[in-house]
């Protein structure tokens, strides 16, 4: 509290434009920064407070996007420099704004991001958090820095009791529980994970935990305190079941950020035992994620993981699962690929923010255990990172391939040799020669999200076991030949979004597919599809099996309601009436939008709502462009 008050006092000083919070990993810097944000806003020190995590590998576009979202700013520019100029101009207009940049590791050029700073920008103040005081004072020129130390013993015990429950003060337990708390060394991340893991435990479990915490640490991370490592390792060991343990490690070493990613990785790797349907897998994932959050192994926001917890997860995965991970310039491709004894044992290879071509032209060793191969290029250098044509020849056991921000012109032909591949995820890549995917007969998940290609190859129609196809963000897609979609009889999830509109239109001598092909997808449970021309909508296209959907039909729809998982919107006209759409067939609509409701549609509209009554999950109803006169009884419905 004293540190918090000191920071707030420094923020009130008009001469301070940049402040820093410094402390070891797991000490509570982020928590303190968020409390500063809350107090500063409540005390009206600033008109606006924005928060963004920088991390060890800064993503400038992500930082810009997070700040812009808080400002209600939409970027029209594609380049980082263009976005920076727009953001800079917008921030300059704010008289009192606080920008919090969490988890700085190295110098970050605020001008490149678009954050005004200096004597001429008194309206914008910056608060940084970092593990290194040198980064704050010398590299970022922070004017005043606040060092966060470990919690005092009584503070630590108070937090421990809050997380474990007051029963820890019972006469039988108190002696051993106090000792366990002391072993956490005053580090909040250790206290929270250990206390939550032992909540409700017996005296024997407490004694065993104390012994584990007092053993020498096996950490090989120089930035992790031994106490923190042992505490998080204990919490990991206390997780019930291999499924939740494997999911925790996967989120950590693969840097998984969303449920969709967990689905792609987990289904591909076969992590979810006894699960055959994608919707069942989503339910299982949600259950396991809930358990991890309840154990404080994940933070509340999405799938966020404390960086110290992630480091421990990577260490455990490396030791127990033979997982190899590397980031950016720390990865020496030649050295790693030449270690034959090591690569034979690798089960997963995860490379992130790779800046140069470090993948060898022809892998000489076999990878008999490898199940997951993932490379994410530094997106600023993505045009220079490629994969040699014969790269996958000796990786035939691989089940999941994930490539992001890469230049795949063409896609390596050796990819077609991966006969066991279940998940192929190519995100934000430049693509050419996609026909090789037709050889992947066991493929269940194909994600091409954000990729640049114009033709969906007919070979995709040969993937008869495909359960998920994601084409969102493929803005160059113009040709989708007939019978590709209708051949995918096992498809359960289809995501097209706004990528493709030219249904049944002839492009370059090829007539595109019809929306009627969707009627052949009898297993479909999830659909994301924007149809521009309401007149092209076949009658009875949508059916009862859809569990999750986003279906805007027409031209003028605001994206702000995209938070709903069951979303249907349609722009009606004199030719297309509400009765033609059969909305009632869609299960559990949460957001219903009706644009241009005609006079003849009013009674049909009321009838539809009557049918939904009792079982309705409707949360938002939008009606526009009509003159309705409902009687009181009808409007009550």
């Amino acid at each position: 509290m004293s540190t918090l008050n000191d920071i707030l006092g420094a923020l009130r000083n008009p001469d301070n434009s940049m402040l820093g919070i410094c402390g070891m990993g797991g000490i509570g810097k982020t928590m303190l920064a968020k409390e500063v944000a809350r107090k500063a806003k409540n005390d009206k020190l600033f008109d606006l407070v924005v928060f963004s995590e920088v991390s060890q590998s800064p993503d400038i576009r992500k930082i810009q996007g997070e700040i812009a979202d808080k400002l209600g700013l939409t970027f029209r520019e594609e380049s980082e420099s263009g976005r920076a100029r727009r953001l800079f101009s917008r921030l300059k207009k704010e008289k009192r704004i606080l920008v919090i940049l969490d988890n700085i590791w190295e110098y970050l050029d605020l001008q490149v991001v678009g954050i005004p700073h200096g004597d001429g920008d008194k309206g914008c103040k910056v608060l940084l958090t970092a593990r290194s005081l040198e980064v704050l004072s010398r590299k970022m020129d922070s004017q005043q820095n606040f060092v966060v130390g470990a919690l005092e013993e009584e503070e630590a015990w108070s937090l421990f009791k809050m997380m474990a429950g007051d029963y820890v003060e019972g006469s039988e337990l108190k002696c051993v529980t106090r000792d366990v708390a002391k072993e956490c060394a005053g580090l909040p991340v250790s206290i929270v994970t250990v206390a939550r893991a032992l909540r409700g435990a017996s005296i024997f479990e407490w004694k065993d935990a104390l012994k584990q915490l007092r053993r020498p640490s096996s950490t090989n991370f120089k930035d992790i305190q031994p106490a923190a490592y042992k505490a998080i390792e204990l919490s990991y060991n206390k997780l019930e079941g291999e499924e939740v343990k494997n999911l925790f490690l996967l989120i950590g070493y693969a840097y998984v950020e969303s449920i969709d990613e967990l689905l792609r990785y987990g289904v591909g790797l076969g992590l979810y035992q006894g699960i055959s349907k994608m919707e069942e897998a989503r339910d299982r994932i949600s259950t396991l994620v809930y358990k991890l959050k309840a154990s404080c192994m994940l933070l509340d926001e999405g799938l966020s993981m404390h960086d110290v917890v992630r480091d421990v997860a990577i260490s455990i995965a490396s030791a127990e699962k033979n997982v190899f991970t590397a980031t950016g310039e720390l990865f020496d491709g030649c050295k790693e690929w030449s270690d034959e004894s090591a690569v034979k044992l690798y089960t997963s290879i995860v490379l992130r923010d790779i800046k140069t071509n470090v993948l060898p032209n022809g892998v000489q060793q076999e990878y008999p255990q490898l199940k997951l191969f993932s490379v994410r290029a530094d997106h600023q250098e993505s045009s220079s990172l490629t994969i040699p044509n014969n790269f996958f020849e000796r990786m035939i056991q691989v089940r999941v391939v994930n490539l992001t921000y890469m230049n795949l012109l063409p896609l390596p032909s050796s990819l077609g040799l991966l006969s066991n591949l279940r998940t192929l995820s190519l995100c934000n890549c430049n693509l050419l020669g996609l026909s090789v995917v037709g050889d992947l007969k066991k493929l269940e998940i194909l994600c091409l999200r954000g990729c640049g290609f114009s033709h969906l190859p007919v070979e995709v129609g040969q993937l008869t076991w495909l359960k998920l196809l994601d084409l969102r963000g493929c803005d160059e897609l113009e040709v989708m030949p007939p019978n590709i979609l209708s051949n995918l009889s096992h498809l359960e999830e289809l995501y097209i979004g706004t990528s493709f509109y030219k249904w049944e239109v002839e492009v370059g001598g090829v007539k595109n597919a019809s929306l009627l092909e969707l009627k052949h997808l009898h297993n479909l449970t999830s659909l994301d599809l924007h149809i521009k021309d309401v007149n092209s909508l076949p009658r009875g296209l949508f059916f009862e099996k859809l569990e999750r959907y986003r279906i805007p039909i027409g031209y003028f729809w605001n994206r702000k309601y995209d938070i709903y998982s069951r979303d249907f919107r349609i722009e009606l006209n004199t030719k297309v009436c509400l009765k033609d759409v059969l909305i009632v067939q869609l299960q559990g609509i949460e957001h219903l939008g009706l644009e241009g409701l005609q006079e003849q549609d009013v009674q049909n509209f009321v009838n539809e709502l009557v049918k939904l009554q009792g079982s309705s999950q409707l949360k938002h109803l939008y009606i526009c462009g009509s003159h309705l006169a409902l009687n009181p009884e009808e409007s009550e419905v």
Side-chain angles (χ1 to χ4, degrees), residues 364-396:
Q364 302 303 316
Q365 304 83 253
E366 296 285 345
Y367 287 74
Q369 306 296 325
L370 193 65
K371 300 295 188 293
L372 184 155
F373 180 78
S374 176
V375 178
R376 171 185 163 127
D378 183 319
H379 71 276
Q380 298 179 58
E381 308 282 341
S382 60
S383 61
S384 65
L385 192 60
T386 61
I387 291 188
N389 200 41
N390 58 354
F391 182 77
F392 293 105
E393 286 180 352
R394 298 179 182 271
M395 300 181 178
I396 58 173

Short mmCIF file of all heavy atoms in Angstrom, two decimals, residues 364-396:
data_model
loop_
_atom_site.label_atom_id
_atom_site.label_comp_id
_atom_site.label_asym_id
_atom_site.label_seq_id
_atom_site.Cartn_x
_atom_site.Cartn_y
_atom_site.Cartn_z
N GLN A 364 18.68 -34.34 -41.80
CA GLN A 364 19.40 -35.59 -41.97
C GLN A 364 18.94 -36.67 -40.98
O GLN A 364 19.00 -37.85 -41.27
CB GLN A 364 20.91 -35.35 -41.80
CG GLN A 364 21.48 -34.33 -42.76
CD GLN A 364 21.23 -34.70 -44.22
OE1 GLN A 364 21.42 -35.86 -44.61
NE2 GLN A 364 20.79 -33.73 -45.01
N GLN A 365 18.50 -36.26 -39.78
CA GLN A 365 18.13 -37.22 -38.76
C GLN A 365 16.64 -37.53 -38.79
O GLN A 365 15.84 -36.72 -39.24
CB GLN A 365 18.48 -36.70 -37.35
CG GLN A 365 19.90 -36.31 -37.13
CD GLN A 365 20.19 -34.91 -37.62
OE1 GLN A 365 20.83 -34.75 -38.63
NE2 GLN A 365 19.71 -33.90 -36.93
N GLU A 366 16.31 -38.71 -38.27
CA GLU A 366 14.91 -39.07 -38.10
C GLU A 366 14.37 -38.41 -36.84
O GLU A 366 15.10 -38.19 -35.88
CB GLU A 366 14.77 -40.59 -37.98
CG GLU A 366 15.19 -41.37 -39.20
CD GLU A 366 14.17 -41.29 -40.33
OE1 GLU A 366 13.01 -40.87 -40.05
OE2 GLU A 366 14.51 -41.63 -41.47
N TYR A 367 13.07 -38.09 -36.86
CA TYR A 367 12.38 -37.55 -35.69
C TYR A 367 11.28 -38.54 -35.31
O TYR A 367 10.10 -38.27 -35.48
CB TYR A 367 11.80 -36.19 -36.01
CG TYR A 367 12.80 -35.07 -36.13
CD1 TYR A 367 13.63 -34.97 -37.24
CD2 TYR A 367 12.93 -34.12 -35.13
CE1 TYR A 367 14.56 -33.95 -37.36
CE2 TYR A 367 13.86 -33.08 -35.23
CZ TYR A 367 14.67 -33.01 -36.35
OH TYR A 367 15.60 -32.00 -36.45
N PRO A 368 11.64 -39.68 -34.76
CA PRO A 368 10.65 -40.75 -34.55
C PRO A 368 9.59 -40.44 -33.50
O PRO A 368 8.52 -41.03 -33.51
CB PRO A 368 11.51 -41.94 -34.11
CG PRO A 368 12.74 -41.33 -33.52
CD PRO A 368 12.98 -40.08 -34.31
N GLN A 369 9.88 -39.50 -32.57
CA GLN A 369 8.94 -39.20 -31.48
C GLN A 369 8.16 -37.90 -31.71
O GLN A 369 7.25 -37.59 -30.95
CB GLN A 369 9.70 -39.08 -30.15
CG GLN A 369 10.57 -40.26 -29.80
CD GLN A 369 9.75 -41.52 -29.59
OE1 GLN A 369 8.63 -41.48 -29.10
NE2 GLN A 369 10.30 -42.65 -29.99
N LEU A 370 8.53 -37.16 -32.75
CA LEU A 370 7.98 -35.81 -32.92
C LEU A 370 6.50 -35.85 -33.29
O LEU A 370 6.11 -36.45 -34.28
CB LEU A 370 8.76 -35.05 -33.99
CG LEU A 370 8.51 -33.54 -34.05
CD1 LEU A 370 8.99 -32.86 -32.77
CD2 LEU A 370 9.21 -32.93 -35.26
N LYS A 371 5.69 -35.17 -32.47
CA LYS A 371 4.24 -35.10 -32.71
C LYS A 371 3.77 -33.69 -33.05
O LYS A 371 2.74 -33.52 -33.72
CB LYS A 371 3.48 -35.59 -31.47
CG LYS A 371 3.79 -37.03 -31.07
CD LYS A 371 3.33 -38.01 -32.12
CE LYS A 371 3.43 -39.45 -31.66
NZ LYS A 371 4.84 -39.89 -31.48
N LEU A 372 4.51 -32.68 -32.61
CA LEU A 372 4.09 -31.29 -32.85
C LEU A 372 5.27 -30.48 -33.36
O LEU A 372 6.35 -30.51 -32.77
CB LEU A 372 3.55 -30.66 -31.55
CG LEU A 372 2.97 -29.24 -31.62
CD1 LEU A 372 1.96 -29.04 -30.49
CD2 LEU A 372 4.03 -28.15 -31.52
N PHE A 373 5.04 -29.76 -34.45
CA PHE A 373 6.06 -28.86 -35.00
C PHE A 373 5.41 -27.50 -35.23
O PHE A 373 4.44 -27.39 -35.97
CB PHE A 373 6.63 -29.39 -36.31
CG PHE A 373 7.69 -28.50 -36.91
CD1 PHE A 373 8.98 -28.53 -36.41
CD2 PHE A 373 7.39 -27.63 -37.94
CE1 PHE A 373 9.96 -27.69 -36.94
CE2 PHE A 373 8.36 -26.80 -38.47
CZ PHE A 373 9.65 -26.84 -37.96
N SER A 374 5.94 -26.48 -34.56
CA SER A 374 5.33 -25.15 -34.63
C SER A 374 6.41 -24.09 -34.81
O SER A 374 7.39 -24.06 -34.07
CB SER A 374 4.53 -24.87 -33.35
OG SER A 374 4.02 -23.55 -33.35
N VAL A 375 6.23 -23.23 -35.82
CA VAL A 375 7.15 -22.11 -36.05
C VAL A 375 6.31 -20.85 -36.24
O VAL A 375 5.41 -20.81 -37.09
CB VAL A 375 8.03 -22.32 -37.29
CG1 VAL A 375 8.92 -21.09 -37.51
CG2 VAL A 375 8.89 -23.56 -37.14
N ARG A 376 6.61 -19.86 -35.44
CA ARG A 376 6.01 -18.54 -35.62
C ARG A 376 7.13 -17.57 -35.96
O ARG A 376 8.04 -17.33 -35.15
CB ARG A 376 5.29 -18.09 -34.35
CG ARG A 376 4.82 -16.64 -34.40
CD ARG A 376 4.23 -16.21 -33.07
NE ARG A 376 4.16 -14.77 -32.98
CZ ARG A 376 3.08 -14.08 -32.68
NH1 ARG A 376 1.97 -14.71 -32.44
NH2 ARG A 376 3.12 -12.76 -32.58
N ALA A 377 7.09 -17.00 -37.15
CA ALA A 377 8.11 -16.04 -37.55
C ALA A 377 7.84 -14.69 -36.89
O ALA A 377 6.72 -14.38 -36.51
CB ALA A 377 8.11 -15.88 -39.07
N ASP A 378 8.90 -13.92 -36.75
CA ASP A 378 8.73 -12.52 -36.37
C ASP A 378 7.98 -11.87 -37.52
O ASP A 378 8.48 -11.82 -38.65
CB ASP A 378 10.09 -11.87 -36.17
CG ASP A 378 9.99 -10.43 -35.71
OD1 ASP A 378 9.12 -9.71 -36.24
OD2 ASP A 378 10.79 -10.01 -34.86
N HIS A 379 6.75 -11.38 -37.28
CA HIS A 379 5.92 -10.95 -38.41
C HIS A 379 6.50 -9.75 -39.14
O HIS A 379 6.12 -9.48 -40.27
CB HIS A 379 4.49 -10.67 -37.95
CG HIS A 379 4.32 -9.44 -37.12
ND1 HIS A 379 4.52 -9.43 -35.76
CD2 HIS A 379 3.98 -8.18 -37.46
CE1 HIS A 379 4.30 -8.22 -35.31
NE2 HIS A 379 3.98 -7.43 -36.31
N GLN A 380 7.44 -9.05 -38.53
CA GLN A 380 8.10 -7.95 -39.23
C GLN A 380 9.12 -8.47 -40.24
O GLN A 380 9.52 -7.76 -41.15
CB GLN A 380 8.78 -7.03 -38.22
CG GLN A 380 7.81 -6.39 -37.25
CD GLN A 380 8.50 -5.51 -36.23
OE1 GLN A 380 9.18 -4.56 -36.59
NE2 GLN A 380 8.32 -5.82 -34.97
N GLU A 381 9.55 -9.73 -40.04
CA GLU A 381 10.55 -10.33 -40.93
C GLU A 381 9.96 -11.51 -41.71
O GLU A 381 10.69 -12.29 -42.29
CB GLU A 381 11.74 -10.85 -40.10
CG GLU A 381 12.33 -9.84 -39.14
CD GLU A 381 13.23 -8.85 -39.83
OE1 GLU A 381 13.66 -9.15 -40.96
OE2 GLU A 381 13.48 -7.78 -39.26
N SER A 382 8.62 -11.62 -41.70
CA SER A 382 7.99 -12.84 -42.20
C SER A 382 8.30 -13.13 -43.66
O SER A 382 8.36 -14.29 -44.07
CB SER A 382 6.47 -12.76 -41.99
OG SER A 382 5.94 -11.65 -42.68
N SER A 383 8.51 -12.10 -44.47
CA SER A 383 8.72 -12.34 -45.90
C SER A 383 10.03 -13.08 -46.18
O SER A 383 10.22 -13.63 -47.25
CB SER A 383 8.72 -10.99 -46.65
OG SER A 383 9.76 -10.16 -46.17
N SER A 384 10.95 -13.11 -45.19
CA SER A 384 12.24 -13.74 -45.42
C SER A 384 12.32 -15.16 -44.87
O SER A 384 13.30 -15.86 -45.09
CB SER A 384 13.36 -12.90 -44.78
OG SER A 384 13.21 -12.87 -43.37
N LEU A 385 11.29 -15.61 -44.14
CA LEU A 385 11.36 -16.93 -43.51
C LEU A 385 10.57 -17.94 -44.32
O LEU A 385 9.37 -17.81 -44.52
CB LEU A 385 10.80 -16.86 -42.08
CG LEU A 385 11.05 -18.09 -41.21
CD1 LEU A 385 12.54 -18.33 -41.05
CD2 LEU A 385 10.42 -17.91 -39.84
N THR A 386 11.28 -18.96 -44.82
CA THR A 386 10.67 -19.99 -45.65
C THR A 386 10.98 -21.37 -45.09
O THR A 386 11.78 -21.52 -44.17
CB THR A 386 11.20 -19.90 -47.09
OG1 THR A 386 12.63 -20.12 -47.06
CG2 THR A 386 10.92 -18.54 -47.71
N ILE A 387 10.35 -22.39 -45.67
CA ILE A 387 10.62 -23.78 -45.28
C ILE A 387 11.12 -24.52 -46.51
O ILE A 387 10.45 -24.51 -47.55
CB ILE A 387 9.36 -24.46 -44.72
CG1 ILE A 387 9.00 -23.84 -43.37
CG2 ILE A 387 9.58 -25.95 -44.54
CD1 ILE A 387 7.89 -24.55 -42.64
N PRO A 388 12.29 -25.18 -46.42
CA PRO A 388 12.80 -25.95 -47.56
C PRO A 388 11.81 -27.01 -48.02
O PRO A 388 11.04 -27.55 -47.21
CB PRO A 388 14.08 -26.58 -46.99
CG PRO A 388 14.50 -25.68 -45.87
CD PRO A 388 13.22 -25.18 -45.27
N ASN A 389 11.84 -27.33 -49.30
CA ASN A 389 10.86 -28.22 -49.91
C ASN A 389 10.87 -29.62 -49.30
O ASN A 389 9.83 -30.27 -49.18
CB ASN A 389 11.11 -28.30 -51.42
CG ASN A 389 9.89 -28.78 -52.15
OD1 ASN A 389 8.77 -28.37 -51.84
ND2 ASN A 389 10.09 -29.66 -53.12
N ASN A 390 12.06 -30.12 -48.90
CA ASN A 390 12.16 -31.49 -48.39
C ASN A 390 12.21 -31.55 -46.87
O ASN A 390 12.60 -32.56 -46.29
CB ASN A 390 13.41 -32.16 -48.96
CG ASN A 390 14.68 -31.40 -48.62
OD1 ASN A 390 14.62 -30.30 -48.05
ND2 ASN A 390 15.82 -31.96 -48.97
N PHE A 391 11.81 -30.48 -46.20
CA PHE A 391 12.03 -30.34 -44.76
C PHE A 391 11.34 -31.42 -43.93
O PHE A 391 11.87 -31.89 -42.93
CB PHE A 391 11.55 -28.95 -44.31
CG PHE A 391 11.77 -28.68 -42.85
CD1 PHE A 391 13.03 -28.34 -42.38
CD2 PHE A 391 10.73 -28.78 -41.94
CE1 PHE A 391 13.25 -28.10 -41.04
CE2 PHE A 391 10.94 -28.54 -40.60
CZ PHE A 391 12.20 -28.20 -40.15
N PHE A 392 10.13 -31.85 -44.32
CA PHE A 392 9.33 -32.75 -43.48
C PHE A 392 9.56 -34.24 -43.79
O PHE A 392 8.87 -35.09 -43.22
CB PHE A 392 7.84 -32.43 -43.65
CG PHE A 392 7.43 -31.09 -43.12
CD1 PHE A 392 7.17 -30.04 -43.98
CD2 PHE A 392 7.33 -30.87 -41.75
CE1 PHE A 392 6.79 -28.79 -43.49
CE2 PHE A 392 6.96 -29.64 -41.26
CZ PHE A 392 6.69 -28.59 -42.12
N GLU A 393 10.53 -34.55 -44.62
CA GLU A 393 10.70 -35.93 -45.09
C GLU A 393 10.93 -36.93 -43.96
O GLU A 393 10.55 -38.09 -44.05
CB GLU A 393 11.85 -36.01 -46.09
CG GLU A 393 11.51 -35.44 -47.45
CD GLU A 393 12.67 -35.53 -48.43
OE1 GLU A 393 13.77 -35.91 -47.98
OE2 GLU A 393 12.47 -35.23 -49.62
N ARG A 394 11.59 -36.50 -42.88
CA ARG A 394 11.93 -37.42 -41.79
C ARG A 394 11.11 -37.16 -40.52
O ARG A 394 11.55 -37.47 -39.41
CB ARG A 394 13.43 -37.35 -41.49
CG ARG A 394 14.28 -37.77 -42.69
CD ARG A 394 15.76 -37.66 -42.39
NE ARG A 394 16.57 -38.02 -43.54
CZ ARG A 394 16.98 -39.26 -43.82
NH1 ARG A 394 16.65 -40.26 -43.03
NH2 ARG A 394 17.72 -39.50 -44.89
N MET A 395 9.94 -36.58 -40.70
CA MET A 395 9.08 -36.27 -39.55
C MET A 395 7.70 -36.91 -39.71
O MET A 395 6.68 -36.33 -39.36
CB MET A 395 8.90 -34.75 -39.42
CG MET A 395 10.18 -33.98 -39.20
SD MET A 395 9.83 -32.20 -39.02
CE MET A 395 11.48 -31.55 -38.72
N ILE A 396 7.66 -38.13 -40.19
CA ILE A 396 6.39 -38.71 -40.63
C ILE A 396 5.43 -39.03 -39.49
O ILE A 396 4.27 -39.35 -39.74
CB ILE A 396 6.63 -39.98 -41.48
CG1 ILE A 396 7.42 -41.02 -40.69
CG2 ILE A 396 7.34 -39.64 -42.78
CD1 ILE A 396 7.54 -42.34 -41.41
#
